[in-house]
Amino acid sequence: MCGIALSIGPEADPATFRRMLAVLAPRGEVTETRSENGLLAGTRRLRVVDRDRAVQPWTSTDERWLLCFNGEIFNYRELRAQLTRLGQAFRTESDTEVLLAAFQQWGEAAVTRLRGEYAFAVVERTTGRTYLARDPIGVKPLYWSRRPGCLHLASEVKALVGHGAPIAEVPPGHHGWAEADGHVRLNPYVDLLTIGDGLPIIDDPDEAALLVRAALSDSIRMRVETDLTVGVVLSGGLDSSLTLRQVRDIHPDCVAVTVGAADSPDVAYARRLAADLDVPHVVVELRPRDIRLADVREAIRISELTEYGDIINAVVSVPIFRRLRDLGIKVVLTGDGSDELFGGYRMYHQVGPAAARRLFLHRIRNLCRTELQRVDRAAMGHGVEARLPFLDLSVVELAMRLPLDLKLRHGQEKWIVRRAFADVLPDYILRRPKNPMSYSSGLHERVRLYKPLFARLHRSFGYDLQEPVRRDFDSVLSRCGNDLDRAIADGLTRPDYTVLEHARDLVGAAKWNAAPMVRRLVGPRPARR
């Protein structure tokens, strides 16, 4: 919904603050600020909920608190009704106002009542003491850096690199206080490494399928409660297809968007499903040779990502959200998160049931700096708010109660999701094997040609002040024989690929990209007429 920026402390500088907020300009449509002694706060707001009146920074009626908020609270109407019964009065129909009212009513415990994708800061105006919170899975970002006499907060790393100071993030599921002395003390209100612990396992396939369908359908429903046209990123795979089917039924004012080479299987499956559902469909046709170094550089600048594979994915993702912006779409749903929850990667099935749970939790805990960071930056970098129904906390908790054999069965990944939606999805989608988006069109292999340059480009933007580029976790895990503890340790001691590893990867990518040209040169020529 927004990009937020704050400078808090006696050394808060208006010129520095303006530069921070200007960097976040693509995240919204309007700039809204408030300037006080020792407090500079602002948003670049994407107007989605109560578009005219939900002005930020939002202040409480008693003028004690100031709120800067990025994201959406999907259960704000329910919370508003509860707060009204408790005597709260409201000036708008916005989730922004409800959020601050909830904080005033319940204090730090308010975050346990929120259902949404959010990151926010609440400042006590007289002292500068600031409460920070981020959603349980880390869909929305929040970073901070500290200089003498000033604490800076922002939605993206790029807004903070100009200070030259180390940059830290508010971890997912954490909240706490930045004190007047500038020290930030955060604690988890949701522990992603223990989620689902102590809850009974659901091993009956019929019960599990009913619960998965109910949880996902409810999560999607909450994310399309808007009067705006809703976009769906459609890859032609299981997750995005069932998302589109549910959105079409709940919110018919929707459009599907797909990226890929014109002759790729991804595009073919997506075209067929959109036609069957009678949903408007936009295809962003992208040929491997269309991807140049400038595109890679721009994807790194936008995404701030720190793993090679995520950067490759970002290069392919950016054109989707650019087209959505051009179409005037502000809200879009994606299928991200399903693979991490329901066993869409081979690694889960290579480690065995005993170790799989720890691996699931580790992957979920790190989504905030991989898949979720890619989606947030690529989307908000074009003024589009991406919503991720598979990563609603209720869905995550449910997924962690399902045994591995419900996620992989008969050689088919995400088996329980297929069963849950078997009556509403066509067989050609249900039976389609997993195919990572656009791999079949060669787009990812094209980007791999530039892989040795990723770390240098990343450093050129100053992003290493937060975290340097590192090897892909799946490759580290494989190298360590699928031993999670060894992989974590190895990733810390040898974070980046060696020159030899880069050379091998480059040779493989070069061979792959050269193959079509060789086939054209040596293949049979068309007969002359």
Side-chain angles (χ1 to χ4, degrees), residues 76-106:
Y76 77 96
R77 291 187 180 89
E78 173 189 333
L79 294 174
R80 179 190 172 105
Q82 295 175 17
L83 291 163
T84 300
R85 290 194 293 269
L86 292 170
Q88 296 261 18
F90 291 90
R91 294 170 275 168
T92 72
E93 297 294 327
S94 72
D95 57 338
T96 302
E97 184 178 15
V98 169
L99 175 57
L100 186 54
F103 173 77
Q104 290 180 275
Q105 183 70 42
W106 297 304

Side-chain angles (χ1 to χ4, degrees), residues 46-51 72 226 228 330-331 385 387:
L46 185 66
R47 295 179 291 191
V48 175
V49 179
D50 200 350
R51 294 186 280 278
E72 301 286 348
T226 176
L228 298 171
K330 292 184 184 180
V331 174
E385 179 184 296
R387 300 178 176 181

Side-chain angles (χ1 to χ4, degrees), residues 247-469:
V247 170
R248 195 281 312 262
D249 291 347
I250 302 169
H251 191 86
D253 183 12
C254 63
V255 59
V257 180
T258 302
V259 66
D263 58 350
S264 71
D266 297 326
V267 171
Y269 276 97
R271 286 190 194 277
R272 183 177 178 185
L273 181 71
D276 287 349
L277 296 179
D278 195 25
V279 171
H281 186 212
V282 176
V283 176
V284 182
E285 292 190 3
L286 193 63
R287 300 167 300 179
R289 65 177 180 271
D290 293 332
I291 297 174
R292 306 297 176 87
L293 178 59
D295 302 301
V296 176
R297 179 182 176 84
E298 178 64 0
I300 291 174
R301 185 196 68 80
I302 289 174
S303 69
E304 308 171 346
L305 286 160
T306 57
E307 282 194 19
Y308 285 89
D310 296 314
I311 292 172
I312 291 172
N313 290 337
V315 176
V316 179
S317 297
V318 165
I320 298 176
F321 295 104
R322 185 183 297 130
R323 180 62 61 84
L324 284 162
R325 177 199 61 194
D326 294 343
L327 292 170
I329 305 296
K330 292 184 184 180
V331 174
V332 62
L333 270 63
T334 82
D336 291 278
S338 177
D339 289 321
E340 285 77 10
L341 296 181
F342 295 105
Y345 299 125
R346 277 188 302 178
M347 67 176 73
Y348 294 128
H349 314 297
Q350 293 170 336
V351 301
R357 179 177 176 80
R358 283 191 62 219
L359 182 55
F360 274 111
L361 293 170
H362 178 82
R363 291 279 301 188
I364 293 167
R365 170 60 182 80
N366 279 278
L367 276 172
C368 65
R369 47 170 295 277
T370 56
E371 286 293 298
L372 301 188
Q373 183 167 322
R374 173 184 61 81
V375 173
D376 173 80
R377 301 301 193 281
M380 294 302 292
H382 296 90
V384 177
E385 179 184 296
R387 300 178 176 181
L388 288 76
F390 280 93
L391 291 174
D392 192 275
L393 186 59
S394 65
V395 179
V396 176
E397 289 178 336
L398 173 60
M400 295 316 300
R401 296 174 62 191
L402 305 179
L404 188 61
D405 71 346
L406 288 186
K407 299 178 181 183
L408 178 71
R409 183 171 287 198
H410 309 312
Q412 198 167 52
E413 89 286 344
K414 294 181 282 192
W415 179 84
I416 193 62
V417 179
R418 297 174 194 275
R419 174 159 180 165
F421 292 90
D423 63 324
V424 297
L425 288 175
D427 281 347
Y428 61 85
I429 294 295
L430 290 169
R431 298 182 185 279
R432 187 188 181 194
K434 178 173 175 56
N435 182 39
M437 187 175 67
S438 297
Y439 266 65
S440 62
S441 63
L443 301 180
H444 290 71
E445 289 294 338
R446 172 70 178 188
V447 182
R448 278 180 60 202
L449 287 172
Y450 303 101
K451 192 174 174 183
L453 303 177
F454 287 3
R456 184 189 307 170
L457 291 170
H458 185 269
R459 288 192 300 270
S460 74
F461 295 113
Y463 296 158
D464 53 320
L465 287 169
Q466 200 267 323
E467 188 180 358
V469 172

